[in-house]
Structures are given as structure tokens and as C-alpha cells.
Amino acid sequence: MRKPRKRSFAELVSENKSQLMKDRAAMEKIETRLEEKRLGKAE
């Protein structure tokens, strides 16, 4: 039996990103958080 190859950080990030893109609820939550951050800096 072969040992599964360790995935690089970049591969994990891209996999995570693609899963997030599919998950609308998570995307909206992130967008809301980013907007709040922008508004906080604007003040």
C-alpha cells in the first residue's frame, strides 16, 4: 500500500476556495464581514 502524498498548502487553499464558491451561504457571510470591515475603516 502506498502512502497518500501530502498535499501542498496551495492545493489545500484552492480546494477550500472551490468548496466555498459552491457554498452560497458561506460566501454571503464572508462578503458581509468584508463590507463591515470596509465601513469601519471608512469612518
Side-chain angles (χ1 to χ4, degrees):
M1 298 233 350
R2 281 179 44 222
K3 255 184 17 178
R5 175 177 80 80
K6 270 199 168 183
R7 283 189 270 173
S8 72
F9 182 71
E11 285 173 316
L12 290 172
V13 168
S14 64
E15 189 178 301
N16 198 5
K17 197 181 205 178
S18 66
Q19 285 176 346
L20 266 177
M21 292 307 226
K22 291 176 195 160
D23 189 349
R24 274 309 311 159
M27 283 300 292
E28 285 172 20
K29 200 168 162 187
I30 290 169
E31 286 168 1
T32 310
R33 219 181 289 155
L34 285 173
E35 280 177 34
E36 286 172 5
K37 215 182 250 187
R38 276 194 215 114
L39 291 174
K41 285 183 180 176
E43 288 176 3

